[in-house]
Amino acid sequence: MDRGIDFLKSQVNNSVMQHRTLLQNLEDHEGQADDQRFRDLCSRHIPKMREHQRMLEEYAASIGAEAGVGKKALGAALGVARDIVDAVRESDFLRLVGDIVTARQSQDTFATFRVAGQTLALSKLQQLGEHCERDHADYAREANELAHTMFVEHARGAESLGAATSP
C-alpha cells in the first residue's frame, strides 16, 4: 500500500472518479426521471456537485494527482457499467436510492479529507472536505426525505398486512 504523498494522490484520484459517477448519475436522472420531485432534486444539487467536481480536480492537479489514461479509461468503463445498472433499475425510487448510496460514499470520503487535513495540517484538503461534506449531507437529507415519501406512495395498499402480522 502506498504511503505519504503517493497514498494521498491515489485517494484523491479515487475520489475524483467516485464523485464523477455521482455527478453523472444526477445529470442523467435529471433527464430520465418520471417523478418531477426527483428531477427537481437533481436540478437543485447538480450545480453544487459540479463545483465539488471542479474543486476535486483542481486539488488533484495541485498535488500532482491527475488521473492518467488508465484511470480515465477505468472511469469511462465504470460509467458504462453504471448506465447498465441504471437501465436494470427501471424505477425512479431505485435510482434515487442508488444516488443516496453514492452520495453517502462521497460524504464519508469528504469527512475523511476534513479530518486528515486537520490532523496533517493540510488546510486545502481540510477545507475541501468541510465544504463538500456539508453539501453532500444536505443532498442526502433531502434525497432520503424524498425516498421515504416515494416508498410510502408505492407501498400504499399494503396496510392490510399490518393486521395480519405481529411484531
Side-chain angles (χ1 to χ4, degrees):
M1 175 179 264
D2 292 331
R3 294 206 171 269
I5 189 67
D6 290 335
F7 178 78
L8 179 61
K9 287 178 181 181
S10 71
Q11 295 311 302
V12 170
N13 269 334
N14 290 342
S15 178
V16 167
M17 287 190 305
Q18 175 190 53
H19 194 271
R20 184 177 296 125
T21 298
L22 173 62
L23 176 57
Q24 288 174 341
N25 283 350
L26 294 179
E27 290 172 341
D28 290 348
H29 297 161
E30 178 186 35
Q32 295 169 345
D34 293 323
D35 190 299
Q36 183 64 45
R37 298 165 299 180
F38 186 26
R39 287 194 306 271
D40 291 346
L41 175 71
C42 293
S43 295
R44 277 194 312 278
H45 288 276
I46 286 172
K48 288 179 186 177
M49 298 303 167
R50 284 183 181 144
E51 177 189 3
H52 298 166
Q53 190 66 33
R54 179 193 55 76
M55 292 168 67
L56 275 167
E57 290 172 0
E58 285 177 0
Y59 184 72
S62 78
I63 63 170
E66 296 174 275
V69 174
K71 288 264 187 181
K72 288 181 180 177
L74 176 61
L78 292 174
V80 170
R82 174 189 52 83
D83 291 344
I84 292 168
V85 169
D86 260 0
V88 172
R89 284 188 185 138
E90 295 181 15
S91 79
D92 287 347
F93 176 76
L94 292 177
R95 287 184 188 110
L96 175 60
V97 170
D99 291 351
I100 292 167
V101 169
T102 307
R104 288 283 188 198
Q105 194 174 17
S106 285
Q107 182 183 354
D108 290 344
T109 297
F110 289 126
T112 300
F113 286 178
R114 174 182 50 79
V115 171
Q118 184 176 25
T119 303
L120 300 170
L122 298 171
S123 61
K124 287 185 180 181
L125 182 65
Q126 178 184 353
Q127 291 166 358
L128 175 67
E130 286 172 355
H131 179 81
C132 298
E133 178 188 13
R134 182 178 49 249
D135 287 344
H136 278 72
D138 290 343
Y139 169 79
R141 181 186 40 75
E142 286 184 48
N144 273 310
E145 288 172 4
L146 179 56
H148 300 162
T149 300
M150 291 172 77
F151 186 96
V152 169
E153 290 170 359
H154 285 79
R156 221 116 351 249
E159 296 88 348
S160 61
L161 290 176
T165 61
S166 60

